[in-house]
Amino acid sequence: MPDPSAWLNVDQQDELLIVTINRPEKRNAINDALLLGLEAVFSAIPDGVKAAVLCAEGQHFSAGLDLSELQERDIVDGLHHSRMWHRVLDRIQFGTVPVVAVLKGACVGGGLEIASACHIRVAEQSTFYALPEGQRGIFVGGGASVRLPKLIGMSRMADMMFTGRVVSADEGVWMGLSHYVVLDGDGLTKGIELAKRIAKNAPMTNYALMHVLPRIADSSQSEGLLMESLMATIAQSSTEAKDRLRDFLEGRAKKVGE
Ligand code: 1HE
């Protein structure tokens, strides 16, 4: 298998890890080596890193699955391949640090699946979203059927697949595909700014948002409320929470909006 580091740049900037998909000549199409490279990076976040930014070289975030590899798979290989995507994207979603995705150009198929496993999505104005699997005669296999309905609702996802339509950056933010649209060019600056803010949170808060909130959302009301109480009690009893509350009460902490 080719060396995945050829298609991934990883740059630690203090508390942030900037991970860049670097295969622009193939519009950042994701082959197996690149996917496994992402798994390796997000499985070994260096000590001291508190948030990550996932961005891409070139004009496009990702054209999705490398279709040249798809042609060679039989049914069993196809099943393992889809499960490999699930494993890697779970590694991003349920890893050790929150991940901010910076989107531009094509964010389609598997590219949208990767973006939807990240915790915050910033879209440059050039971003466009699509699920061309329907047109290619296949089905999503990288977790989109689970993650996208949570972002935009099942019927909007079905519409994207039935019709193959392209969703613009502006429509995408309205639908819930991204949290932010950056009007003037540079999404990376915005992504880094957000990641720096996230890195300043108490680690227990970020843990709860990454690992507990999605489980609560998947639970029944009574289980969810119990999990919320347990998480709230653990978070409140941490030394960091006590210090932060004291800072506010004694006038040292920022007010909301400052
Ligand atoms: C690729 C891929 C790819 C480009 N796999 N090689 N994804 C798709 O169905 C999207 C397919 N791609 C496109 O529609 C277009 O490439 C774009 C709209 C993203 C960009 O267009 P453009 O004109 O800038 O680039 P291009 O000329 O189409 O592509 C440049 C090269 O990248 C070209 O290779 P070359 O050797 O001829 O230079 C393309 O073949 C190559 N390329 N996209 C392989 N996807 C876990 S399951 C997920 C299932 C899916 O993701 S299905 C959706 C797949």
Side-chain angles (χ1 to χ4, degrees):
M1 178 167 300
D3 176 10
S5 62
W7 296 309
L8 280 176
N9 293 337
V10 182
D11 177 27
Q12 185 172 349
Q13 298 182 9
D14 299 323
E15 296 184 331
L16 303 189
L17 200 68
I18 315 295
V19 182
T20 308
I21 303 171
N22 184 20
R23 204 189 176 205
E25 69 284 1
K26 294 289 181 186
R27 307 307 184 251
N28 294 319
I30 309 293
N31 59 17
D32 287 359
L34 211 164
L35 191 71
L36 294 173
L38 287 173
E39 181 177 37
V41 169
F42 285 100
S43 299
I45 298 290
D47 288 348
V49 167
K50 295 187 176 161
V53 175
L54 180 62
C55 56
E57 203 57 63
Q59 308 284 306
H60 302 277
F61 178 72
S62 172
L65 179 70
D66 187 325
L67 293 169
S68 68
E69 290 189 349
L70 189 66
Q71 291 159 3
E72 294 161 18
R73 283 193 192 101
D74 66 16
I75 288 177
V76 175
D77 285 345
L79 193 51
H80 285 304
H81 182 256
S82 170
R83 299 299 287 160
M84 175 174 75
W85 271 72
H86 292 169
R87 189 184 76 228
V88 175
L89 271 51
D90 267 3
R91 210 54 220 147
I92 296 174
Q93 183 178 3
F94 299 116
T96 53
V97 294
V99 183
V100 178
V102 177
L103 313 177
K104 58 184 163 179
C107 181
V108 305
L112 181 51
E113 292 182 306
I114 292 172
S116 67
C118 298
H119 303 91
I120 298 286
R121 282 163 293 282
V122 175
E124 292 187 0
Q125 194 74 57
S126 64
T127 306
F128 60 92
Y129 309 92
L131 292 170
E133 286 87 343
Q135 276 54 53
R136 309 273 177 245
I138 56 177
F139 189 63
V140 290
S145 64
V146 171
R147 292 193 178 92
L148 281 184
K150 291 177 181 165
L151 301 184
I152 61 174
M154 189 195 72
S155 80
R156 286 202 185 97
M157 176 185 170
D159 169 46
M160 287 177 73
M161 284 196 72
F162 275 132
T163 64
R165 80 184 182 93
V166 168
V167 173
S168 69
D170 288 338
E171 191 182 0
V173 74
W174 173 81
M175 281 168 66
L177 286 170
S178 81
H179 299 81
Y180 304 87
V181 177
V182 178
L183 294 180
D184 297 321
D186 190 8
L188 186 55
T189 303
K190 179 73 177 173
I192 288 176
E193 176 201 317
L194 293 169
K196 282 182 176 166
R197 286 176 65 165
I198 292 166
K200 294 268 173 290
N201 290 340
M204 189 62 83
T205 301
N206 282 345
Y207 182 87
L209 291 172
M210 289 175 66
H211 293 271
V212 182
L213 183 60
R215 265 98 178 185
I216 291 174
D218 282 345
S219 306
S220 68
Q221 178 155 321
S222 67
E223 287 168 338
L225 290 174
L226 176 61
M227 263 193 276
E228 181 186 276
S229 294
L230 294 173
M231 188 62 238
T233 310
I234 293 169
Q236 280 161 26
S237 60
S238 73
T239 313
E240 179 148 3
K242 288 178 183 154
D243 290 346
R244 284 175 180 240
L245 292 173
R246 195 175 313 109
D247 283 349
F248 176 74
L249 293 172
E250 295 172 6
R252 288 187 298 275
K254 285 183 180 172
K255 295 183 187 175
V256 172
E258 282 182 342

Coordinates of all heavy atoms in Angstrom, one line a residue, residues 25-27 29 60 63-68 81 85 106 108-111 113 128 132-133 136 138-142, ligand 1:
E25 N -4.3 16.7 -7.0 CA -4.4 16.3 -8.4 C -5.5 15.3 -8.6 O -6.0 15.2 -9.8 CB -3.0 15.7 -8.8 CG -2.6 14.4 -8.2 CD -2.1 14.5 -6.8 OE1 -2.1 15.6 -6.2 OE2 -1.8 13.4 -6.2
K26 N -6.0 14.6 -7.6 CA -7.2 13.8 -7.7 C -8.3 14.3 -6.9 O -9.2 13.6 -6.4 CB -6.8 12.4 -7.2 CG -5.8 11.6 -8.0 CD -6.4 11.2 -9.4 CE -5.4 10.4 -10.2 NZ -5.8 10.1 -11.6
R27 N -8.3 15.7 -6.7 CA -9.4 16.4 -6.0 C -9.6 15.8 -4.6 O -10.7 15.7 -4.1 CB -10.7 16.4 -6.8 CG -10.6 16.9 -8.3 CD -9.9 18.2 -8.3 NE -9.9 18.7 -9.7 CZ -8.8 18.8 -10.5 NH1 -7.6 18.4 -10.0 NH2 -8.8 19.3 -11.7
A29 N -9.6 12.8 -3.6 CA -10.3 11.6 -3.5 C -9.6 10.7 -2.5 O -8.4 10.7 -2.4 CB -10.3 10.9 -4.9
H60 N -10.5 21.9 -3.6 CA -11.7 21.1 -3.2 C -11.3 20.4 -1.8 O -10.2 20.0 -1.6 CB -12.0 20.0 -4.2 CG -12.3 20.5 -5.5 ND1 -13.6 20.9 -5.9 CD2 -11.6 20.7 -6.6 CE1 -13.6 21.4 -7.1 NE2 -12.4 21.2 -7.6
A63 N -13.3 15.0 -3.2 CA -14.3 14.4 -4.2 C -14.8 13.0 -3.7 O -15.4 12.3 -4.5 CB -13.6 14.3 -5.5
G64 N -14.5 12.7 -2.5 CA -15.1 11.4 -1.9 C -14.3 10.2 -2.2 O -13.1 10.3 -2.4
L65 N -14.9 9.1 -2.1 CA -14.2 7.8 -2.3 C -13.4 7.8 -3.6 O -13.9 8.3 -4.7 CB -15.3 6.7 -2.4 CG -14.8 5.3 -2.6 CD1 -14.1 4.8 -1.3 CD2 -16.0 4.4 -2.9
D66 N -12.3 7.2 -3.6 CA -11.5 7.1 -4.8 C -12.2 6.0 -5.6 O -12.1 4.8 -5.3 CB -10.0 6.7 -4.5 CG -9.2 6.6 -5.7 OD1 -9.7 6.2 -6.8 OD2 -8.0 7.0 -5.6
L67 N -12.9 6.4 -6.7 CA -13.7 5.5 -7.4 C -12.9 4.4 -8.2 O -13.4 3.4 -8.6 CB -14.6 6.2 -8.4 CG -15.7 7.1 -7.6 CD1 -16.4 8.0 -8.6 CD2 -16.7 6.2 -7.0
S68 N -11.6 4.7 -8.4 CA -10.8 3.8 -9.2 C -10.6 2.5 -8.4 O -10.3 1.4 -8.9 CB -9.5 4.4 -9.6 OG -8.7 4.6 -8.5
H81 N -14.7 -2.9 3.5 CA -14.3 -1.6 3.2 C -15.1 -0.5 3.8 O -14.7 0.4 4.4 CB -14.3 -1.4 1.6 CG -13.8 -0.1 1.2 ND1 -14.7 0.9 0.7 CD2 -12.6 0.4 1.1 CE1 -14.0 2.0 0.4 NE2 -12.7 1.7 0.6
W85 N -14.2 2.4 6.8 CA -14.6 3.8 6.8 C -15.3 4.1 8.2 O -15.0 5.1 8.8 CB -15.6 4.1 5.7 CG -14.8 4.5 4.4 CD1 -14.1 3.7 3.6 CD2 -14.7 5.9 3.9 NE1 -13.6 4.5 2.6 CE2 -13.9 5.8 2.7 CE3 -15.2 7.1 4.2 CZ2 -13.6 6.9 1.9 CZ3 -15.0 8.2 3.5 CH2 -14.2 8.1 2.3
A106 N -15.6 21.0 -3.8 CA -16.4 19.7 -3.6 C -16.2 19.2 -2.2 O -15.1 19.0 -1.7 CB -15.9 18.7 -4.6
V108 N -18.1 16.1 -1.3 CA -19.1 15.2 -1.8 C -18.9 13.8 -1.4 O -17.7 13.4 -1.2 CB -19.2 15.3 -3.4 CG1 -19.4 16.8 -3.8 CG2 -18.0 14.8 -4.1
G109 N -19.9 13.0 -1.4 CA -19.8 11.6 -1.1 C -19.0 11.3 0.2 O -19.3 11.9 1.2
G110 N -18.0 10.5 0.1 CA -17.1 10.2 1.3 C -16.5 11.5 1.9 O -16.2 11.5 3.1
G111 N -16.3 12.5 1.0 CA -15.8 13.8 1.6 C -16.8 14.4 2.6 O -16.4 14.9 3.7
E113 N -19.0 12.6 4.1 CA -19.0 11.7 5.3 C -17.9 12.1 6.3 O -18.1 12.1 7.5 CB -18.9 10.3 4.8 CG -20.2 9.9 4.0 CD -20.2 8.4 3.6 OE1 -19.2 8.0 2.9 OE2 -21.1 7.7 3.9
F128 N -19.4 23.2 -2.2 CA -20.7 22.6 -2.7 C -20.7 21.2 -2.2 O -19.7 20.5 -2.1 CB -20.9 22.7 -4.2 CG -19.8 22.1 -5.0 CD1 -20.0 20.8 -5.5 CD2 -18.7 22.8 -5.4 CE1 -19.0 20.2 -6.3 CE2 -17.7 22.2 -6.2 CZ -17.9 20.9 -6.7
P132 N -23.4 11.9 -4.7 CA -23.5 11.4 -6.0 C -23.6 9.8 -6.1 O -23.7 9.3 -7.1 CB -22.3 11.8 -6.8 CG -21.3 12.2 -5.7 CD -22.0 12.4 -4.4
E133 N -23.7 9.2 -4.9 CA -23.7 7.8 -4.8 C -24.9 7.3 -5.6 O -24.8 6.2 -6.3 CB -23.9 7.3 -3.4 CG -22.6 7.3 -2.6 CD -22.3 8.7 -1.9 OE1 -23.0 9.7 -2.3 OE2 -21.5 8.8 -1.0
R136 N -24.1 7.1 -9.1 CA -23.1 6.1 -9.4 C -23.6 4.7 -9.3 O -22.8 3.8 -9.4 CB -21.8 6.3 -8.5 CG -21.3 7.7 -8.5 CD -20.3 8.0 -9.6 NE -19.8 9.4 -9.5 CZ -20.1 10.4 -10.4 NH1 -20.7 10.0 -11.5 NH2 -19.7 11.6 -10.2
I138 N -24.6 3.3 -6.4 CA -24.1 2.7 -5.1 C -24.9 3.4 -4.0 O -25.9 4.1 -4.2 CB -22.6 2.8 -4.9 CG1 -22.1 4.3 -5.0 CG2 -21.9 2.0 -6.0 CD1 -20.6 4.5 -4.7
F139 N -24.5 3.1 -2.8 CA -25.2 3.7 -1.6 C -24.0 4.2 -0.7 O -22.9 3.8 -0.9 CB -25.9 2.6 -0.8 CG -26.8 3.1 0.3 CD1 -27.9 4.0 0.0 CD2 -26.6 2.7 1.6 CE1 -28.7 4.5 1.1 CE2 -27.4 3.2 2.7 CZ -28.4 4.1 2.4
V140 N -24.4 5.2 0.1 CA -23.3 5.7 1.0 C -22.8 4.5 1.9 O -23.5 3.6 2.2 CB -23.9 6.8 2.0 CG1 -24.2 8.1 1.2 CG2 -25.1 6.3 2.7
G141 N -21.5 4.6 2.2 CA -20.9 3.5 3.0 C -20.0 4.0 4.1 O -19.4 3.2 4.8
G142 N -19.9 5.3 4.2 CA -18.9 5.8 5.2 C -19.6 6.4 6.4 O -19.0 7.3 7.0
Ligands
1HE1 C1 -11.2 11.1 -9.0 C2 -12.3 11.4 -8.2 C3 -12.8 10.3 -7.4 C4 -11.8 13.2 -9.2 N1 -12.2 9.1 -7.5 N2 -10.6 9.9 -9.0 N3 -17.3 11.0 -5.9 C5 -17.8 11.5 -7.0 O1 -18.6 10.9 -7.7 C6 -17.2 12.8 -7.4 C7 -16.4 12.6 -8.7 N4 -15.6 13.8 -9.1 C8 -16.1 14.9 -9.7 O2 -17.3 15.0 -9.9 C9 -15.2 16.0 -10.1 O3 -13.9 15.4 -10.1 C10 -15.2 17.2 -9.2 C11 -16.5 18.0 -9.4 C12 -15.0 16.9 -7.7 C13 -14.0 18.1 -9.6 O4 -14.0 18.4 -11.0 P1 -12.7 18.9 -11.8 O5 -13.1 19.2 -13.2 O6 -12.1 20.0 -11.0 O7 -11.7 17.7 -11.8 P2 -11.7 16.3 -12.7 O8 -11.0 16.7 -14.0 O9 -13.0 15.7 -12.7 O10 -10.7 15.4 -11.9 C14 -9.3 15.6 -11.8 C15 -8.7 14.2 -11.5 O11 -9.2 13.7 -10.3 C16 -9.1 13.2 -12.6 O12 -8.1 12.3 -12.8 P3 -7.1 12.4 -14.0 O13 -6.1 11.3 -13.9 O14 -7.9 12.3 -15.2 O15 -6.4 13.8 -13.9 C17 -10.3 12.5 -12.0 O16 -10.5 11.2 -12.5 C18 -9.8 12.4 -10.5 N5 -10.9 12.3 -9.6 N6 -12.7 12.7 -8.3 C19 -11.1 8.9 -8.3 N7 -13.9 10.4 -6.6 C20 -17.3 5.4 1.8 S1 -18.3 5.3 0.4 C21 -18.3 6.9 -0.3 C22 -18.9 6.8 -1.6 C23 -18.5 8.0 -2.4 O17 -17.7 8.9 -2.0 S2 -19.2 8.1 -4.0 C24 -18.8 9.7 -4.5 C25 -17.6 9.7 -5.4

